[in-house]
Structures are given as structure tokens and as C-alpha cells.
Amino acid sequence: MAVREFGNKMMEINARRIGEEKKKKRGLEQQQQKKKKTIKRSVSSSPVYVVMLAIFSRFVILALFVFWRILARPYDTSAGLTRPCLSPNQNDHQVNVKWKTVGSVIENGVVWDSVYYVQIAQCGYEYEQTHAFLPVLPLTMRFLANTVLSRLVPRVGYRATLAIAGYLISNMAFVYAALYLYKLTLYVVEDERQAWHATALFCFNPASVFYSSIYSESLFAFCSFAGLWNFVKGSKWMAIVLWGLSSGVRSNGVLHAGFFLFQSMHYCHQAALSQQRRLRGVLAVVTAIMQSGAVVTPFVAFQFYGYYQHCDPSVGSVEELRPWCTARLPYLYGFVQKHYWNVGFLRYFEIKQIPNFMLASPMLALAICSLISYGKQQSRLLLSLGFRATPMEWGKLVLSPTLEQKHVKYIDDNCSADNGQLQQRQQTKIERTIAEEHGLANPDGLGSFFSPAAVCFLVQLAVMTSVACLIMHVQVATRFLSVSPPIYWYAAHVMDPSVGGRPMGRLIWAIFFSYLGLGSLLFINFYPFT
């Protein structure tokens, strides 16, 4: 009897335990379903919130411009002075303006490099030094002023209309740039929260005042981020068009050609593992060279335009030509930067420039720290430029989400990998699947800031940081580096509670907002900023 009672009790206990386990399992399944619904809802609505945040940030900047311009007195008021074009026909637009006061107020808000862009949009490239500013932005301003905004010309004047066009282009391009940065970040880090944080940081970055002014930063960021997103999706021709435009907006747009070369380099390396596919590797390299050539063509074409404009053989004698015209490689952009702005290797390393180095230090620190942090965590990938990537990492490394499964099959069918390598790859795949089933994010580093997809971006960032520190005016590094996505990925990463948390987040936001307030005050009133 005792044995029978003991057995019944054990059966009851087991039945109770099984029932509790089933309830727990059901509860976990319900929680996971709720999480999935919440994630889907947040992901589907996040682009809308990104657009709203980007628009809000532009209103903040423009409001600060108006506020500081009313409160403070400009250091230099020469921006509003009339600068007639060398061609008399270009000055006819300024005759019989109805609202001269309104036009004058708008023109007075054109400061620093914005003066050059408005002048080029109206008069063209009449002077040698204006070739430091590439043509896509002023051409777009002229097109918008002559078409959509043409009714404003007799009311506020042509220059004021060009300025309005410049402001519209910069602010609209910024909103689209933020949206494409969000999409790109979501692909790389595979984390909606970090993608949102990175985009929010971009919206209020230290160089944010330039993105709402008549500067090329916003248009360049849009072309860059939209091109990267199309490149990742596999729309190579659209990426070529957008990156080609970027090289006509800013000179560093030519660096985008490196993405084609980086991808083809890895295609060629993988094709070399199989004798049957070497021809495909050669074709990939040839294709990448042609694609890269298409990207840099607008910048090169602009140099030819400057040569034929300023180095006319009909001048009569070689002595009367400009020095760069008779060089072995006539490079107008480099000459203008060196001659008029004293840009060159280590030329800016002077004691009197220490304040400018300090001004650029936050953005430079973020760039350098992002490289160091990724190098420590993923030294195998970064130092080898991705050549030591595992099969599971390769699809992400070459920025092609559709290639990971194809590449795994390719390794199985064609590569001379031993059983140990195949077992290691299969074990990694199994571990990743199990981790995802249990809700563990980024179990092998294929997501997050340390994703293999970030390698090419970090190589580009390393080049840009070196140029900013050693060649160009260092204070320009703040806006020069502000179009580099890894800076925002790293900042969003260190703000995560599992890494730096709230103290680091507060520090980063404090720096960003202080540059926002101080920069808007100095910039709009024609004081030196960056």
C-alpha cells in the first residue's frame, strides 16, 4: 500500500510539473509573439519617426539662426553687398525688385562658403578660386530658382531666390539622408534601437549647422547614404549614379569607388580558391574598375572644364598662363586648395592652430576610438581587410545580404576546405540558430557595430581621418567626418547600457548639443567655427 501511495504521489507531482512547464512554455511563446509584434510595429513606423525627427532638427537649427541673428551682431556684414557678375547679362535679374528689404534680409543670411555657392549659381565659375566648390549644388540651385521658384525673382531678387533654393535643397536633402542612414544602419547593426540612436545622433551632430545652410554637406550625405543603401540592395547602377553625383558635390565623393574595388577584391580572392571560377574573378575586377571610373568621372570632368576655361592656348605665351596649367598633370582643384587656402601635408601643424585642433577633437576622438574599438574586437577582420573572414561572415563583409547562402553553397561545392573547416562553419551556423531561437542578439558578432559589414566603412573612415589630421584644415574635420556612418554606429554602441550606458550617452549628447548651440551662434554671425 505504501509503495502504491508513493507511486501515486510521484505521478501527481510529475503531472503537476509537466502542467507548470507547459504553462511556462505557453507564456514564453506568448511573450515572444508580443515582442515580435512590437518589433514589427516599431520597425514599420520607425522610418516615419526618423523623418519627423530630421524635420524637427532642421526647424531647431533654422530657429536658432534667426534667434542668434536677432540677438547678436554679425562680425562681418559684407555678405549682403552686391557683387556684380563679370557678364553684364547676369545682373539683369536684380533690376526692379519689389521687396528689396526682404531680399536684403535673405542675402544677409548668406555667410562663409554660402557666398561662393550663390555667386557661382548666378555668375558661373568666373574666378580661379571658385573651382574649390564643385558644381552640382550651384547648378541645382540655379535650376530650382529658374523653374519652381521663378516667381520669387521679381519680388526678392535673383540672389535671394538662389539663397532660398540653396536652403530648400540642403534641408530637404538632409531629411532624405537621415532616412537612408537609418536603413543602412539597420542593415549593418541589425538592431532597431541602435539604428534609431545613430540616426538621432546624425540629426544633431556637431556639424549640424552646415546641413541647414547653403553648404554641400546635406546633398553629399544624401548621395552618399542613398548610394550605399542601393549598393547594399544590389542596385549597382543606381549606386553609380548617386555616387557619381556625390563626386560632383564634394571631392571626397571619389572615395566611394573604393566600395566597388573592395567587393571585387574579395570576389577575386574567392574565385582564386577554385580554378574553375578564376575567369569570374577577372571579370569582377574589370567590372569594378569600370564602375569606379564612372563614379569619379564627374570630378575629373570638372577638372577638364577648369583647364579649358583658364588655360586657353590663345593667350599667346606660356609665361602668361597660370602655373598649374603647365604642370605635367594639370590639377586645378589641388592648386586652388594649396594656393588660396594653404592646404597641404602638415601645413596646418602650427602652434597658433592649437585652438582649431581642440575644436575638432570631439569628432576626431569618435573617429579614432571607433577604429581602435573595432580593431580590438575584430582585429582578424580589420587588419586583414576581411580576407580572413569565415564563410558565415563573407556575405555581410562584401555588403551583399543575398550572397551569404550562395557563398556557403559555393564553399561546399567548390572550395578545397578540409573537414575541420566545414565542421567549424556548420557548428557556427548551429550556434547562431540556437542563440536566435533563445532571443540572444548578435551571438557571433554578425550584427552590432562589430559586424563584418562595417569593415569597408572603417577603412574609408581611416583614410578620411588621416586626411583630416595631416592635410586639410583640421577644424573642417568636424563636418568632413560627419558624413561617415561608423562614427554614429560607434556612438550608439557605447551608449548602450551593456557597454557605456547613461554616463557615456550624456557626455556624447552634451558635446553634440553644445556644438549645436555654439555653432549656430558663431556661424550665422560670421564668426569662425569650423
Side-chain angles (χ1 to χ4, degrees):
M1 292 292 292
V3 174
R4 193 177 294 174
E5 289 178 2
F6 178 77
N8 291 334
K9 287 181 179 180
M10 290 298 297
M11 289 176 66
E12 289 177 5
I13 291 170
N14 287 334
R16 216 177 282 162
R17 195 181 347 175
I18 291 170
E20 290 176 356
E21 287 179 355
K22 286 183 178 179
K23 287 181 181 179
K24 288 181 180 179
K25 190 174 181 180
R26 287 175 189 170
L28 288 172
E29 288 177 354
Q30 290 176 357
Q31 288 179 2
Q32 288 178 355
Q33 288 177 358
K34 288 180 181 179
K35 285 181 180 178
K36 287 179 180 179
K37 289 180 181 178
T38 304
I39 290 170
K40 286 180 180 178
R41 251 197 314 267
S42 63
V43 170
S44 62
S45 59
S46 287
V48 177
Y49 293 133
V50 167
V51 171
M52 292 172 61
L53 179 65
I55 294 173
F56 172 73
S57 69
R58 296 311 93 195
F59 274 115
V60 169
I61 297 295
L62 294 174
L64 285 173
F65 281 166
V66 175
F67 176 75
W68 290 126
R69 196 58 184 265
I70 295 172
L71 192 65
R73 180 169 181 164
Y75 175 75
D76 187 347
T77 58
S78 62
L81 297 178
T82 301
R83 296 166 304 280
C85 300
L86 296 180
S87 174
N89 296 330
Q90 299 292 342
N91 300 311
D92 295 340
H93 294 288
Q94 295 298 116
V95 180
N96 299 324
V97 176
K98 293 181 180 179
W99 304 337
K100 290 185 177 181
T101 304
V102 177
S104 178
V105 170
I106 295 172
E107 288 189 48
N108 286 335
V110 179
V111 295
W112 293 106
D113 290 353
S114 303
V115 176
Y116 285 98
Y117 283 114
V118 172
Q119 183 76 7
I120 293 168
Q122 181 186 2
C123 308
Y125 288 90
E126 297 181 325
Y127 303 97
E128 187 180 64
Q129 61 267 34
T130 57
H131 285 265
F133 305 93
L134 272 65
V136 171
L137 177 57
L139 285 176
T140 310
M141 290 166 56
R142 180 186 293 181
F143 173 79
L144 195 62
N146 292 338
T147 55
V148 179
L149 304 177
S150 59
R151 293 185 179 181
L152 291 176
V153 175
R155 290 173 171 80
V156 298
Y158 193 50
R159 287 191 185 87
T161 305
L162 288 170
I164 293 172
Y167 278 113
L168 286 174
I169 292 167
S170 291
N171 287 277
M172 290 178 63
F174 179 87
V175 174
Y176 282 102
L179 181 61
Y180 280 108
L181 176 63
Y182 172 80
K183 292 181 178 180
L184 179 67
T185 306
L186 198 58
Y187 165 73
V188 174
V189 305
E190 297 181 6
D191 189 305
E192 195 270 340
R193 185 179 179 183
Q194 286 197 18
W196 168 260
H197 286 165
T199 309
L201 288 166
F202 171 70
C203 288
F204 297 98
N205 74 80
S208 195
V209 295
F210 298 98
Y211 287 87
S212 283
S213 306
I214 309 174
Y215 270 62
S216 58
E217 270 70 19
S218 285
L219 191 57
F220 179 80
F222 163 69
C223 294
S224 177
F225 298 157
L228 285 167
W229 175 243
N230 281 277
F231 181 79
V232 164
K233 287 197 307 179
S235 303
K236 297 293 180 64
W237 287 109
M238 184 58 70
I240 290 172
V241 171
L242 289 164
W243 285 344
L245 286 173
S246 75
S247 70
V249 177
R250 292 185 64 86
S251 60
N252 51 307
V254 300
L255 293 178
H256 291 120
F259 286 95
F260 289 114
L261 298 175
F262 181 86
Q263 194 179 68
S264 68
M265 183 173 63
H266 284 277
Y267 285 164
C268 189
H269 175 256
Q270 293 299 327
L273 298 176
S274 174
Q275 295 183 356
Q276 299 175 356
R277 302 203 176 191
R278 287 184 178 178
L279 180 60
R280 291 190 180 184
V282 174
L283 291 175
V285 172
V286 173
T287 303
I289 292 173
M290 295 173 63
Q291 292 168 333
S292 302
V295 170
V296 303
T297 293
F299 179 77
V300 175
F302 183 62
Q303 304 311 304
F304 277 106
Y305 166 77
Y307 180 82
Y308 286 110
Q309 185 181 22
H310 297 284
C311 301
D312 189 354
S314 62
V315 170
S317 63
V318 177
E319 289 77 11
E320 296 181 17
L321 293 175
R322 298 293 291 157
W324 63 273
C325 292
T326 56
R328 289 186 178 180
L329 182 64
Y331 181 37
L332 174 55
Y333 182 81
F335 173 81
V336 168
Q337 291 285 355
K338 181 179 179 180
H339 183 72
Y340 293 97
W341 278 274
N342 195 34
V343 173
F345 183 68
L346 299 181
R347 286 192 171 200
Y348 218 62
F349 279 71
E350 300 174 337
I351 295 177
K352 65 180 181 180
Q353 302 298 345
I354 290 177
N356 287 325
F357 276 89
M358 295 177 64
L359 188 65
S361 59
M363 193 61 83
L364 286 172
L366 279 175
I368 294 170
C369 287
S370 64
L371 292 166
I372 293 174
S373 179
Y374 192 93
K376 286 182 178 180
Q377 185 72 19
Q378 294 278 34
S379 58
R380 171 179 55 85
L381 285 175
L382 187 60
L383 297 179
S384 68
L385 296 180
F387 283 108
R388 295 177 61 189
T390 65
M392 290 298 295
E393 296 170 332
W394 193 77
K396 279 290 230 178
L397 176 75
V398 296
L399 300 175
S400 182
T402 61
L403 287 177
E404 184 174 349
Q405 293 180 352
K406 291 182 181 179
H407 181 65
V408 169
K409 186 177 184 302
Y410 167 75
I411 291 289
D412 287 337
D413 295 342
N414 299 292
C415 289
S416 59
D418 58 19
N419 292 331
Q421 289 176 323
L422 293 174
Q423 289 176 1
Q424 183 179 5
R425 177 178 59 77
Q426 292 170 355
Q427 181 65 24
T428 303
K429 187 175 181 180
I430 292 169
E431 289 176 357
R432 179 171 173 81
T433 304
I434 293 172
E436 288 176 348
E437 289 177 353
H438 286 77
L440 298 177
N442 308 320
D444 55 3
L446 292 182
S448 80
F449 168 68
F450 302 109
S451 168
V455 170
C456 193
F457 294 93
L458 287 162
V459 172
Q460 185 191 53
L461 177 60
V463 174
M464 293 175 65
T465 305
S466 301
V467 172
C469 290
L470 303 177
I471 298 176
M472 62 193 303
H473 291 184
V474 73
Q475 74 267 26
V476 182
T478 300
R479 54 191 174 96
F480 179 67
L481 297 175
S482 65
V483 292
S484 182
I487 288 179
Y488 306 107
W489 300 342
Y490 172 74
H493 166 72
V494 297
M495 289 169 60
D496 191 270
S498 62
V499 183
R502 290 183 178 179
M504 186 59 67
R506 288 171 181 169
L507 176 62
I508 291 174
W509 279 118
I511 294 172
F512 277 37
F513 282 127
S514 63
Y515 270 68
L516 198 69
L518 183 64
S520 58
L521 167 63
L522 297 176
F523 176 81
I524 197 62
N525 288 301
F526 225 120
Y527 288 90
F529 178 49
T530 65

